[in-house]
Amino acid sequence: MSGYAERCYPAPIAGDLTTGGSLSQAMTVSSAGGAPGERRHRKKRLRLSCSECNKKKLSCDRNLPCQRCVRSGRPEQCWYETGTGQPPVPNSHPAQRQQDQRSGDEVRDLREEVAQLRALVSKACQQQESHGAAESPRAADNADSGQAVPPNDRIEEDQSTADANSTDLSDPRERSPRGFYRQHTLLQFFAEVPQLFPFIKETADEGLKPYGVHLKKYKPVKNDWKTKASSQEESSLESLLPPKDDTDALVSFYLDHLEQLHRVVHIPTFEREYANFWAPGRARYPAMTALVLSMISISACASASSGGSSPIPSTYRSMPEQWISACDGWLRQQSSKHRKLVHYQVSCLAYLAKRMNMIGKKRFWKETGSLIQNAMMDGLHFDPSPTVDGPYMREMKRRIWFVLRELDLQNAFEYGLPTLLHNIGSNVAAPANLDDEDFDEASKQLPVPKPPGRFTCTSYQSHSARSWALRLEISRRLFSTGSSKELIYEDVLRYTHEITQAMHSLPPWDTDDAEVAGDPKRLLLTYAFLHFQLKECILAIHRPYLQTDNSKFWLSENISYHMSRDILVLNSKLAGLGVQSMTLLREDLLLASLNLTRITMLQPKASTSIIMTSSQSTADLLEQCLPFMEDRYLRCFEPWCFFTMCAAIMLLKIHLGKDSWQAAKSSCAQRFLDLHYKHIGRQQTSLLTQQLPTTQVPVSQVETLGACQQLPTPDANINAAVLPPSMWLDSSYPDIGMDSFDLDMELDSVWGTWGSTWPTLPSHSMTG
């Protein structure tokens, strides 16, 4: 009996919107005498309507309406419902003929049971349509028959019916998977501030489209260098280099500002090799050319002044796209078996250049994850052995590993995605708090590190290492997909206390009376980035508790409010010193601005809280920081960051009653149009400058750099052969991850496998 029921009326397939889950559960109850495991694994034939059976000349042994007719809402057209007799084609299979000869009593019982189930399902659907939440069909039926219904069964049936009805969503974004546009820290504000997306859309439709302006990132035409053969790679890299004076300015800017944050090169060693790079008659390493190109790709987007005058030639603002692409192409040509230190240096600088220029922002998380994997393959996540590497190489390996892990953890917080660092153990010691002048390649041992309060070019890495374990643990609790426990509010308060202690332990480098020696720009930049990464953790752990009705979470609003204001104030201080453009490496400015907007709009208009009382000063502070986003658009041609922040400010003014919805939209659109036309004017000026004869254009448009140091220039009287190359460029120097048992490695051909033919160099110039 059970086998016949399974054959005649199989369980509905997933997605049956007519019967929902109740019919499937009822059929499971009715055929409980059979073997459920067997029924699940049995392959069912697709049930056709009786008319299709006739057309396809198939045997139709069913005495019940087929599933296709049920799903299409026309069961009355099925031959069984209309009582048109027996199936049109008799069965020829012996087993099926035996089933057709079963007792009529069994068939009638099955018909009655199925009809009863269909009536119950139909009744449940009608009740849900008329009353919303309907009573369980089985509960109503059993109540009539005087039978009790278990609570668990009632809950399961109600849940299944609700799931069936919830599949029809009006907004296609609700049906999409939770990908980049749903998980990113910034894009989550579109769901947390419901007015933000409609305001941007209406402003773009009404204020921008009539002028032919669309919110779309500018994408230059891709170069054809990728199609060149590997033998032409060296000349391709050389052809992209700017003149020496301009390259000196760009390299100096990077070494004076960004190198103190993410330690990639050893500055004295690099300066010596850079002098050799421009020496007359000296052959150039392609690795050094790629290193210089990746370095100036960062500087070209930045400047030492936030005003109109810029020490960086405006003609190079559009060049980083080509330089970065060339460096990526060079990296792809390299052998993964013979990676050297310079390979990781170029990789780190190329990624930082993409962050500064907003190139491939959807791939940032994936790219740092790939760099972490490569570093693990080469053993950088283990502390270097003193028996294998010297003091210089051990310290450089530590610096590179700390750069990679900081960048990957930053992406984990920004993207809301886990990092491979959650699952690995690393025993790498923190880089020593030393200046680069304190050691070099010939050092036998490192000097004693300086006190933590003493500022050095490695202070950022040294102090970041102190809070690393705490930040990694928070990231694991928030974003790991493993078996980590949910972050309850008691943990939130505990982590807040620990992060606050870490911030208080940082030296006061931003104060005027700090007894530290160094450039104020460098001191404040390091201080700000150390605070940014800690405040980012606080905002992340308190974010889920902002929009709740529970009064005990009021502390989350106050903490997030003050942390966000601190981030904006630090950005204003950096702008006052002319180094605010360095914050393009992070998304703290927009994150803090949207946080302030959200928290203020959560306050009732009649509220007397400190947040609502200071709402006007909050709006003024956001207006003060909006030019930073304008500058970002002019540098990176990224419209969404400026437009989103401008929309947030306008929404705040609407909430405060300062502007109407229509007036705010007009103001936002007009401000963006002014910025857009300013960008167009700069592009036209740049094109005209490039079309002028070279005799009419100065070799360098660089102004006085102030804090930028003068790079060493090789003396023309000194023979180039006297200046030896650095160990990290020497072909005889061991690889990063060299296996001592790799007998197939040919050290003489290591550089040849990197996609280019090496020039002939004097034999005494290859000493390591």
Side-chain angles (χ1 to χ4, degrees), residues 27 51 60 66 88 115 126 143 213 259 276 284 342 358 406 422 430 452 464 470 488 521 576 612 683 702 755:
M27 288 303 302
S51 61
C60 188
C66 61
Q126 292 176 0
V213 178
E259 178 58 32
N276 295 348
R284 291 176 178 173
V342 68
M358 294 291 289
E406 282 293 344
H422 293 161
S464 293
L470 175 60
I488 60 177
K521 296 180 181 180
M612 196 61 186
Q683 279 188 323
V702 182

Short mmCIF file of all heavy atoms in Angstrom, two decimals, residues 27 51 60 66 88 115 126 143 213 259 276 284 342 358 406 422 430 452 464 470 488 521 576 612 683 702 755:
data_model
loop_
_atom_site.label_atom_id
_atom_site.label_comp_id
_atom_site.label_asym_id
_atom_site.label_seq_id
_atom_site.Cartn_x
_atom_site.Cartn_y
_atom_site.Cartn_z
N MET A 27 2.04 14.20 3.20
CA MET A 27 2.34 12.97 2.46
C MET A 27 3.34 12.12 3.21
O MET A 27 3.32 10.90 3.14
CB MET A 27 2.88 13.32 1.07
CG MET A 27 1.82 13.87 0.12
SD MET A 27 0.43 12.74 -0.08
CE MET A 27 1.27 11.28 -0.68
N SER A 51 -2.91 15.21 -21.10
CA SER A 51 -2.84 15.55 -22.52
C SER A 51 -1.44 15.37 -23.07
O SER A 51 -1.24 14.93 -24.20
CB SER A 51 -3.29 17.00 -22.72
OG SER A 51 -2.44 17.88 -21.99
N CYS A 60 0.06 6.09 -18.94
CA CYS A 60 -0.50 6.95 -17.90
C CYS A 60 -1.28 6.08 -16.93
O CYS A 60 -2.47 5.84 -17.11
CB CYS A 60 -1.40 8.02 -18.52
SG CYS A 60 -1.94 9.27 -17.36
N CYS A 66 -1.83 15.00 -11.74
CA CYS A 66 -0.37 15.04 -11.80
C CYS A 66 0.15 16.32 -11.14
O CYS A 66 -0.59 17.30 -10.97
CB CYS A 66 0.12 14.96 -13.24
SG CYS A 66 -0.47 16.32 -14.26
N PRO A 88 -5.33 6.83 -21.14
CA PRO A 88 -5.52 6.63 -22.57
C PRO A 88 -4.73 5.47 -23.15
O PRO A 88 -5.14 4.89 -24.13
CB PRO A 88 -5.06 7.96 -23.17
CG PRO A 88 -4.17 8.54 -22.15
CD PRO A 88 -4.70 8.11 -20.84
N ALA A 115 -7.65 13.41 -1.23
CA ALA A 115 -8.63 14.49 -1.33
C ALA A 115 -8.75 15.25 -0.02
O ALA A 115 -8.91 16.47 0.00
CB ALA A 115 -9.98 13.89 -1.74
N GLN A 126 -6.46 29.62 2.02
CA GLN A 126 -7.52 30.62 2.04
C GLN A 126 -7.50 31.42 3.35
O GLN A 126 -7.71 32.63 3.36
CB GLN A 126 -8.86 29.94 1.86
CG GLN A 126 -9.07 29.34 0.48
CD GLN A 126 -10.39 28.59 0.37
OE1 GLN A 126 -11.15 28.53 1.34
NE2 GLN A 126 -10.64 28.02 -0.81
N ALA A 143 -8.88 19.10 15.45
CA ALA A 143 -9.79 19.64 16.45
C ALA A 143 -11.21 19.17 16.18
O ALA A 143 -11.98 18.87 17.10
CB ALA A 143 -9.73 21.16 16.46
N VAL A 213 25.25 63.59 -16.82
CA VAL A 213 26.28 63.18 -15.88
C VAL A 213 25.80 61.92 -15.17
O VAL A 213 24.67 61.87 -14.67
CB VAL A 213 26.58 64.29 -14.85
CG1 VAL A 213 27.63 63.82 -13.86
CG2 VAL A 213 27.05 65.54 -15.57
N GLU A 259 56.33 55.46 3.75
CA GLU A 259 57.22 54.37 4.13
C GLU A 259 57.30 54.19 5.64
O GLU A 259 57.59 53.10 6.13
CB GLU A 259 58.62 54.61 3.54
CG GLU A 259 59.66 53.57 3.90
CD GLU A 259 59.29 52.17 3.46
OE1 GLU A 259 58.60 52.02 2.44
OE2 GLU A 259 59.68 51.21 4.16
N ASN A 276 72.61 54.12 -8.02
CA ASN A 276 73.14 53.29 -9.10
C ASN A 276 72.17 53.20 -10.27
O ASN A 276 72.59 53.06 -11.43
CB ASN A 276 73.41 51.87 -8.58
CG ASN A 276 74.50 51.85 -7.53
OD1 ASN A 276 75.22 52.85 -7.34
ND2 ASN A 276 74.63 50.74 -6.83
N ARG A 284 70.47 48.53 -15.70
CA ARG A 284 69.40 48.55 -14.72
C ARG A 284 68.77 47.17 -14.57
O ARG A 284 68.55 46.46 -15.55
CB ARG A 284 68.32 49.55 -15.13
CG ARG A 284 68.75 51.00 -15.05
CD ARG A 284 67.66 51.92 -15.58
NE ARG A 284 68.03 53.32 -15.47
CZ ARG A 284 67.31 54.33 -15.96
NH1 ARG A 284 66.18 54.07 -16.60
NH2 ARG A 284 67.72 55.56 -15.82
N VAL A 342 62.61 41.32 -3.12
CA VAL A 342 62.11 42.38 -3.98
C VAL A 342 60.76 42.01 -4.58
O VAL A 342 59.94 42.89 -4.88
CB VAL A 342 63.14 42.66 -5.10
CG1 VAL A 342 63.26 41.49 -6.06
CG2 VAL A 342 62.80 43.95 -5.83
N MET A 358 42.32 53.84 -5.84
CA MET A 358 41.01 53.21 -5.92
C MET A 358 40.87 52.38 -7.20
O MET A 358 39.91 52.49 -7.95
CB MET A 358 39.91 54.26 -5.86
CG MET A 358 39.82 55.00 -4.55
SD MET A 358 39.23 53.95 -3.19
CE MET A 358 37.53 53.75 -3.64
N GLU A 406 48.80 43.22 8.44
CA GLU A 406 48.03 44.42 8.78
C GLU A 406 47.06 44.78 7.64
O GLU A 406 45.91 45.13 7.88
CB GLU A 406 48.95 45.60 9.06
CG GLU A 406 49.59 45.59 10.44
CD GLU A 406 48.58 45.78 11.57
OE1 GLU A 406 47.45 46.24 11.28
OE2 GLU A 406 48.91 45.50 12.71
N HIS A 422 42.93 34.03 10.77
CA HIS A 422 42.14 33.48 11.87
C HIS A 422 42.53 32.04 12.19
O HIS A 422 42.30 31.57 13.30
CB HIS A 422 40.66 33.52 11.53
CG HIS A 422 40.10 34.91 11.44
ND1 HIS A 422 38.93 35.21 10.78
CD2 HIS A 422 40.57 36.09 11.92
CE1 HIS A 422 38.71 36.51 10.87
NE2 HIS A 422 39.69 37.06 11.55
N ALA A 430 57.97 40.88 16.68
CA ALA A 430 57.68 42.21 16.14
C ALA A 430 58.96 42.87 15.66
O ALA A 430 60.04 42.65 16.21
CB ALA A 430 57.02 43.08 17.20
N PRO A 452 59.78 52.28 23.68
CA PRO A 452 58.55 52.45 22.91
C PRO A 452 58.14 53.91 22.72
O PRO A 452 57.55 54.25 21.70
CB PRO A 452 57.51 51.68 23.75
CG PRO A 452 58.30 50.72 24.56
CD PRO A 452 59.61 51.38 24.84
N SER A 464 51.73 48.67 16.58
CA SER A 464 50.63 47.86 16.05
C SER A 464 50.73 46.43 16.54
O SER A 464 49.71 45.77 16.79
CB SER A 464 50.65 47.89 14.51
OG SER A 464 50.34 49.17 14.02
N LEU A 470 44.68 41.33 20.21
CA LEU A 470 43.33 41.77 20.56
C LEU A 470 42.51 42.04 19.31
O LEU A 470 41.35 41.62 19.20
CB LEU A 470 43.43 43.03 21.42
CG LEU A 470 42.11 43.72 21.78
CD1 LEU A 470 41.21 42.78 22.57
CD2 LEU A 470 42.39 45.00 22.57
N ILE A 488 28.48 38.62 22.62
CA ILE A 488 27.43 39.16 23.49
C ILE A 488 27.88 40.53 24.02
O ILE A 488 29.04 40.92 23.88
CB ILE A 488 27.11 38.19 24.64
CG1 ILE A 488 28.37 37.95 25.49
CG2 ILE A 488 26.58 36.87 24.10
CD1 ILE A 488 28.11 37.05 26.70
N LYS A 521 54.66 66.20 10.76
CA LYS A 521 53.80 65.46 9.83
C LYS A 521 53.92 63.96 10.06
O LYS A 521 52.92 63.24 10.11
CB LYS A 521 54.18 65.80 8.39
CG LYS A 521 53.95 67.26 8.01
CD LYS A 521 54.36 67.49 6.56
CE LYS A 521 54.17 68.95 6.17
NZ LYS A 521 54.57 69.21 4.76
N GLY A 576 45.42 69.94 8.03
CA GLY A 576 46.12 71.16 8.38
C GLY A 576 47.61 71.08 8.14
O GLY A 576 48.26 72.10 7.87
N MET A 612 21.92 64.91 20.27
CA MET A 612 21.00 65.82 19.56
C MET A 612 21.34 67.27 19.84
O MET A 612 21.21 68.14 18.96
CB MET A 612 19.57 65.52 19.99
CG MET A 612 18.52 66.11 19.07
SD MET A 612 18.68 65.45 17.40
CE MET A 612 17.47 66.47 16.54
N GLN A 683 41.27 67.80 -16.58
CA GLN A 683 41.63 66.82 -17.62
C GLN A 683 42.01 67.52 -18.91
O GLN A 683 42.99 67.16 -19.56
CB GLN A 683 40.46 65.87 -17.86
CG GLN A 683 40.33 64.74 -16.85
CD GLN A 683 39.29 63.74 -17.27
OE1 GLN A 683 38.25 64.10 -17.82
NE2 GLN A 683 39.54 62.48 -17.02
N VAL A 702 57.97 70.46 -10.38
CA VAL A 702 58.00 70.23 -8.95
C VAL A 702 58.40 71.51 -8.23
O VAL A 702 59.38 72.15 -8.59
CB VAL A 702 58.99 69.11 -8.60
CG1 VAL A 702 58.98 68.84 -7.11
CG2 VAL A 702 58.63 67.86 -9.36
N GLY A 755 61.31 36.39 -16.67
CA GLY A 755 60.68 36.96 -17.85
C GLY A 755 61.53 37.96 -18.59
O GLY A 755 61.03 38.66 -19.46
#
